[in-house]
Structures are given as structure tokens and as C-alpha cells.
Amino acid sequence: MSHDPNAMSAHGLSAPRWRQAFKMLIPSALGIFIFFIPVTLNGRTTIPLDHMVNLLREALGSASTAYALCLILAGAAYPLLTGSWRNSLTDRIFTLLKAMGLVAAILAVTGWGPAWLHTPNMLPFLFNTLVISVGLIVPIGAIFLALLIGYGLLEFIGVLFQPLMRPLFKTPGRSAIDAVASFVGSYSIGLLITNRVYQARQYSAKEAAIIATGFSTVSATFMLVVARTLDLMSLWNLYFWLTLLITFLVTAITVRLPPLRSMDNDCERVDEEMAIRERLPSAWKAGLQAAAIAPRLHQGVWMNLRDGLLMAISILPSIMSVGLLGLLVANHTPVFDWLGWLFYPFVAVWGLPEALEISRAAATGLAEMFLPALLMREAELVARFVIAIVSVSSILFFSASIPCILSTSIPLSVSRIVMIWFIRVALSLFFAVPAAWLAISLSS
């Protein structure tokens, strides 16, 4: 029997390529199904991830309270056990806030403390509705988020969208991957990528700042919490894609305004020109290469479950403390009323009856991105949809994303960040109202 070495060589090359293709396509397709394909179960139509969270919460019953309390306790203890509280003033402040969050959680569970803390829209809502939901959604969502961003789909989409980055956002083509990672994954993933590339001088200060403040928003799992809080799960796909569109539209405008417009733009430029006919093969190749080095599925699930739990213990105590402080300020002081008047014209121009309430709620997002949703959960459908979009597209808030940006090497001061936040909220409000009307008309 004769052997054709060329045929053997070709077979040896094609087999791994097929394995890479399956390794990319199957997890990615499953991730798309989990996050974006509505399924009807027990008369309720929503995405599979939402069904999973509901089923798990029902299975846990009263144990979900103990589970959430354990996560908050772990989050409060983690900076002390690791010594990270010593790293900076910001870390020390957030360690204190997490300790306060633990105290608030104990009060919520035990019923101790003054009666006004236990009114339905204060500690009970923060803990029972928000904290338990986030504590379940983030770890479960992290598992399936790995399917979307860990097996090549991220790189495939990133390469396809590279031609849009420079003309739309004034960033290099390769930043498309950062943008998709930030929006679909989480701001922590996106900021990690951005900071590394900036330190290697492959992004200028301006480009790094644009990516950090324009794309590093909360993950799809957090958007799910917002949608559940505001009772928008029946409009999930419209909400997700319209929020993505408005977030990127606002970024495209913001990069052309101060303070981003005037930032330093010097770095080591890389030639990224590619013929249109080469784009799809290059995207496919990038996806396969990412799939080839991705961990085995069970390893990826474990790694992302661990990361999801770490993220949950990091944010839950802050939600309790910053959320409670924000609600107290919103309900008992005029601070957010004053700030809300600055945004009022951007909503009032559309003639929306709840313009002032929406503007006031949007202003609270500077403290914590969930606060607007907490304040508007009883509002009319259009107002809830608007605030759900703005909560995400504003991107910047002091309980998490702003400290993360300040901890990087990207030269953004607090004053610049607050200026960018104001511009983003104003533009987001202006675009979100017609988007809400469109979504509701399409769904009816």
C-alpha cells in the first residue's frame, strides 16, 4: 500500500482546524442561546439564563438569604485577609464601605435598627430584590458568559468591526475587541485589556481614555439585573441591542467633545490596513486561534465561576452600603433634585410627563448604577425603559467603574471623569426616549 505524504500532511492540518472550529462554534452558539433566545417555561417567556436564576432561587428558598449574607461577609473580609486595603486610599475607602455593607445586610436580615430603614423601598428591597438577584445572576452568568467571550466569538466579531473603530470612535481597529469584551463581558475585563495595551504604548492616552470611558460598561449579566428590577424581561432583546446602539452612539459623539478631544494622542502606530475580501477570513482565523488556546470547557466553567463569585463578593457589600447611602440622599436631601435639573431639558424636549423624575433618577447613577433602577421601578413603561438604558450607557459610577479606572495608568482625573459622565448621561437621555417608544411599539 502506497502512502501519499502530502495527503497525510493535509489531513494532519485539517483535523485540528475542524476541532478548533467545533471548539469555537459550539460554546459560542450555546452562549448566544443562553443570553439571547427567549424560551417559554411554565407560561413565562424569557431567556434561558433568567429561567435558571428563577429556578435556582426557588430551589434555595429561604437559604438564598443565608447565601447572600455569606457572600457579603466574604466580600467584607476579603480586603482584610488579602491585605489589599493597604494599596491605596481608594481601597481603604471601599474596605470601609464593604464593612458598612455587612452591617446593613445584618440589619436587613435581622430586622434590627430604626423602623424607617425597614420600609419596603429601603433595606428590604436592597437585600431581597437586588442583592440576592445579583448574588445568583453574577456567578451563573459568568459561567455562560465564558461561552460568549472565551472561545473565539469575541475575537471573530472584534476583527469584523475593526474598520468602524477609527472613523467612528477615533481608536485603532484592534480596540474593537476591547469594546466587545467590555460591553458583553465586563468593564473589569475591558479595563484590564486596555491598560495593558496602553502601558505597551500601543494606545495613546486619548485612545485609552476613550475606550475606558466609552466601552467599559457593566456586563450583560448586570443588564439582566436592571431589566429584572424594572420588569423589562419581556423586552430583553430590544433592550439589550438598543442599549448597545445608544452606548456606542454616545461614545462616538463624546470623543469629539472636551475633555477627550484634547487629550494626548501620541503612541506607536501599527498598520492595520486590510482588504475587504480578507476581513472575513482574518476574523475566522482570529476566532480559531482564540479557540485553540482556550481552556477545556470544564476548566473554563470553573475559572469563570470562581471569577464570578469573586466579583459577586466584591460588589454585594458595596451595593448594600452605597445603595443605602444613595437612597437616603435621594429620599431625604435635594442633592439629586438639583443635579437632575441639569438633565431635565434633554428629556423634557420629548414631552415625556415623567421628565423630572427620570432626570433626577439618572443623576443618582453617578453614585451607583443600580440606584436609578431602584428609584424608577414603579414608573410607567417608557420611563423604566429609558432609565434602564441610561443606567448602562452612562458607564461611569463611583461605586465601581470610576475607582477601577483611577487604579489604571490611564491619565484620567476625577474632574475629567465627571465631565465625561455628565455628557454621557445627557446624550443617553436624549436618545433613550425615542428608543423606548420604538421598543414598545415594536413589542405591541
Side-chain angles (χ1 to χ4, degrees):
M1 180 184 293
S2 63
H3 297 281
D4 183 349
N6 293 327
M8 290 178 64
S9 174
H11 178 74
L13 288 172
S14 62
R17 180 60 63 91
W18 276 107
R19 284 198 292 270
Q20 290 171 21
F22 277 111
K23 192 176 179 181
M24 173 185 169
L25 292 174
I26 293 175
S28 299
L30 182 57
I32 291 169
F33 170 73
I34 293 294
F35 275 94
F36 299 115
I37 307 300
V39 174
T40 301
L41 184 64
N42 297 327
R44 185 168 176 265
T45 302
T46 186
I47 57 172
L49 178 59
D50 193 34
H51 283 306
M52 291 178 199
V53 171
N54 283 330
L55 291 172
L56 181 57
R57 183 160 187 176
E58 290 174 8
L60 287 173
S62 60
S64 61
T65 298
Y67 163 76
L69 191 59
C70 287
L71 289 182
I72 291 173
L73 175 61
Y78 189 79
L80 301 175
L81 295 175
T82 61
S84 62
W85 67 275
R86 300 188 185 94
N87 292 346
S88 66
L89 177 60
T90 300
D91 286 299
R92 287 191 281 275
I93 291 172
F94 272 87
T95 300
L96 177 60
L97 286 172
K98 287 174 182 177
M100 292 169 58
L102 176 60
V103 173
I106 292 172
L107 294 179
V109 171
T110 60
W112 298 341
W116 55 267
L117 276 178
H118 297 281
T119 54
N121 66 337
M122 297 295 283
L123 284 180
F125 182 82
L126 277 174
F127 189 86
N128 296 325
T129 302
L130 193 57
V131 164
I132 293 177
S133 291
V134 173
L136 293 173
I137 288 173
V138 171
I140 297 172
I143 293 171
F144 295 104
L145 204 56
L147 304 177
L148 280 180
I149 68 175
Y151 291 88
L153 181 63
L154 174 68
E155 287 73 14
F156 176 80
I157 295 174
V159 173
L160 282 184
F161 278 85
Q162 280 180 354
L164 299 177
M165 300 309 290
R166 181 68 69 186
L168 285 181
F169 308 114
K170 299 187 180 297
T171 59
R174 60 181 173 275
S175 65
I177 295 175
D178 294 30
V180 177
S182 300
F183 197 93
V184 181
S186 75
Y187 59 83
S188 55
I189 294 172
L191 284 172
L192 180 65
I193 297 170
T194 304
N195 194 46
R196 285 177 180 170
V197 178
Y198 172 67
Q199 289 174 334
R201 288 196 50 77
Q202 294 176 2
Y203 286 156
S204 67
K206 178 179 180 178
E207 290 166 349
I210 289 169
I211 297 164
T213 62
F215 302 119
S216 299
T217 187
V218 295
S219 69
T221 52
F222 283 92
M223 292 178 67
L224 189 63
V225 177
V226 172
R228 285 167 59 94
T229 302
L230 293 169
D231 194 22
L232 296 175
M233 286 309 301
S234 61
L235 301 170
W236 166 253
N237 272 302
L238 284 168
Y239 166 57
F240 181 91
W241 295 111
L242 284 171
T243 302
L244 182 146
L245 175 64
I246 288 175
T247 300
F248 288 175
L249 174 60
V250 168
T251 298
I253 298 171
T254 306
V255 302
R256 291 163 169 82
L257 302 172
L260 289 174
R261 184 180 64 187
S262 56
M263 290 185 68
D264 175 52
N265 203 29
D266 292 331
C267 68
E268 297 175 7
R269 300 293 175 192
V270 178
D271 183 17
E272 296 179 318
E273 290 298 321
M274 185 186 301
I276 294 175
R277 66 179 180 276
E278 298 173 2
R279 180 67 55 186
L280 187 59
S282 296
W284 178 249
K285 181 179 179 182
L288 292 182
Q289 288 173 342
I293 62 174
R296 293 177 181 271
L297 193 57
H298 70 278
Q299 293 172 325
V301 166
W302 164 245
M303 287 165 52
N304 281 274
L305 175 60
R306 180 193 62 201
D307 291 346
L309 285 170
L310 285 174
M311 182 176 287
I313 68 171
S314 174
I315 61 177
L316 290 187
S318 298
I319 288 175
M320 285 302 300
S321 58
V322 178
L324 180 58
L325 291 172
L327 286 175
L328 291 173
V329 172
N331 291 326
H332 300 286
T333 76
V335 170
F336 291 122
D337 291 334
W338 298 337
L339 197 52
W341 277 108
L342 298 176
F343 297 119
Y344 177 73
F346 298 94
V347 189
V349 68
W350 297 107
L352 209 59
E354 296 175 289
L356 186 57
E357 290 83 355
I358 291 170
S359 304
R360 177 176 176 267
T364 68
L366 182 61
E368 161 59 49
M369 66 85 57
F370 286 122
L371 278 178
L374 298 183
L375 295 173
M376 296 297 290
R377 64 187 186 278
E378 302 296 334
E380 294 296 321
L381 179 56
V382 171
R384 282 185 277 128
F385 201 98
V386 168
I387 216 66
I389 291 174
V390 176
S391 295
V392 176
S393 63
S394 58
I395 289 182
L396 303 164
F397 52 100
F398 272 108
S399 67
S401 66
I402 292 176
C404 285
I405 292 171
L406 293 174
S407 68
T408 68
S409 305
I410 302 167
L412 280 168
S413 62
V414 172
S415 60
R416 274 182 168 174
I417 291 173
V418 171
M419 286 176 63
I420 295 166
W421 167 82
F422 178 85
I423 295 169
R424 293 197 65 88
V425 172
L427 292 172
S428 297
L429 286 168
F430 182 76
F431 293 125
V433 176
W437 284 333
L438 173 64
I440 292 166
S441 65
L442 288 175
S443 64
S444 59

